[in-house]
Amino acid sequence: MFSSKTQSKTQSETRSKTKTQTRTRTESKTASRTRPGTKSAAKPLLVSAGVALAAVTLGIVSWQATAPAEQGSAGSAPAAATPRSDTSAALRALARREPGDKLAVGRADAPVVLIEYSDFKCGYCGKFARDTEPELVEKYVESGTLRIEWRNFPIFGAESEAAARAAWAAGQQDRFAAFHSAAYADGSKEKGFAEPRLLELAREAGVPDLDRFKADMAGEQAAAALKKDQEEGYRIGVTSTPSFLVNGKPIAGAQPLGAFTAAIAQAEEAARP
């Protein structure tokens, strides 16, 4: 009996060992088949991660900076280190300086260019447009020191985008600045930017041909211009409005007038031969 039990036990262990070896070989083959696929799938993920990291890094370098002397104001962002020289050069190169730019005021060859990324439904953008921008135009644009280039950067939904297209359409009839002022007037954004309201703003801005205005507003050129501005902003890490570049120096938020005058003075000094 003892011998029979021992033999049975030995046979059972042999069968178990054979099953284990078979399972091990099967798992090894499966792993060898799936490993190349796993490696291939990981590669796009690594590429995507690299792109995301680059975008995040540029965003941190570009847009956590603001004028250090003017902190704590409404709509401001905390200060950070000055961008590296290569990043600053890339940001300075964003100034288009196109003589026929309908969304710009000031000489194309002005020593200082202020680029503004803004949204018509943004309260702080309105504050800057009412309280600060007119003084910059009077003091620096009219003297030939400063050029202001606007970038439509709608982030508050469909009405923001509609207002941006409307502003571009008004610009095609040389009424962008007037439309900009009307849309940013105190209490204007509370009325919304549905199409009847946009037509009302166009009349207020003195747009001469309202039929053309409506066609331009709904056209492909307006959509393409808006996309160009948005892609530029996202590419350099803009995440909020208003955001500014003064000859490549970032200023985040509706900072007080002194932050802009200091940045303009510094940029003008640096631009001298």
Side-chain angles (χ1 to χ4, degrees):
M1 183 180 295
F2 178 81
S3 175
S4 176
K5 286 184 178 180
T6 302
Q7 183 178 6
S8 176
K9 181 178 180 182
T10 302
Q11 289 174 346
S12 176
E13 289 174 347
T14 301
R15 285 195 298 270
S16 177
K17 184 176 181 181
T18 302
K19 287 180 181 180
T20 301
Q21 291 173 341
T22 301
R23 185 169 61 250
T24 302
R25 285 196 297 269
T26 302
E27 289 173 350
S28 177
K29 288 179 181 179
T30 302
S32 67
R33 286 197 301 269
T34 59
R35 192 174 294 115
T38 304
K39 184 177 180 181
S40 177
K43 187 174 181 181
L45 291 175
L46 290 173
V47 171
S48 299
V51 171
L53 179 59
V56 168
T57 301
L58 181 57
I60 291 171
V61 170
S62 303
W63 295 107
Q64 285 184 355
T66 187
E70 301 287 351
Q71 295 303 310
S73 65
S76 66
T82 302
R84 296 178 317 221
S85 59
D86 55 343
T87 303
S88 295
L91 295 177
R92 284 197 303 274
L94 294 174
R96 295 171 187 172
R97 294 185 178 273
E98 298 169 359
D101 190 344
K102 302 291 188 180
L103 274 63
V105 295
R107 289 168 33 191
D109 63 347
V112 183
V113 177
L114 182 151
I115 301 174
E116 174 186 347
Y117 299 87
S118 59
D119 182 320
F120 285 104
K121 286 182 71 69
C122 164
Y124 287 124
C125 298
K127 177 177 175 58
F128 174 79
R130 293 188 299 271
D131 299 346
T132 305
E133 203 160 50
E135 296 196 46
L136 297 180
V137 170
E138 182 179 355
K139 185 173 182 178
Y140 297 108
V141 174
E142 293 178 3
S143 69
T145 299
L146 180 68
R147 174 178 174 85
I148 300 176
E149 296 183 357
W150 287 280
R151 306 285 192 265
N152 281 312
F153 196 73
I155 59 175
F156 291 112
E159 283 200 356
S160 289
E161 294 193 2
R165 290 194 299 270
W168 182 89
Q172 302 316 292
Q173 300 184 55
D174 299 315
R175 304 305 297 166
F176 174 81
F179 185 95
H180 176 275
S181 297
Y184 277 132
D186 196 14
S188 179
K189 80 179 182 71
E190 284 74 18
K191 298 178 181 179
F193 293 112
E195 185 171 330
R197 172 62 179 156
L198 294 174
L199 288 170
E200 181 183 336
L201 289 170
R203 292 189 192 95
E204 187 177 338
V207 175
D209 188 340
L210 292 179
D211 288 334
R212 179 190 170 188
F213 170 79
K214 287 194 291 184
D216 285 343
M217 183 170 58
E220 292 182 2
Q221 283 185 292
L226 175 57
K227 183 179 179 181
K228 180 180 179 181
D229 287 355
Q230 287 178 307
E231 287 181 346
E232 178 182 294
Y234 286 127
R235 188 171 68 248
I236 63 174
V238 177
T239 58
S240 62
T241 55
S243 290
F244 308 89
L245 294 173
V246 179
N247 276 17
K249 176 184 178 180
I251 297 180
Q255 299 291 324
L257 177 64
F260 291 94
T261 58
I264 291 168
Q266 183 180 15
E268 183 183 14
E269 178 67 24
R272 288 178 181 173

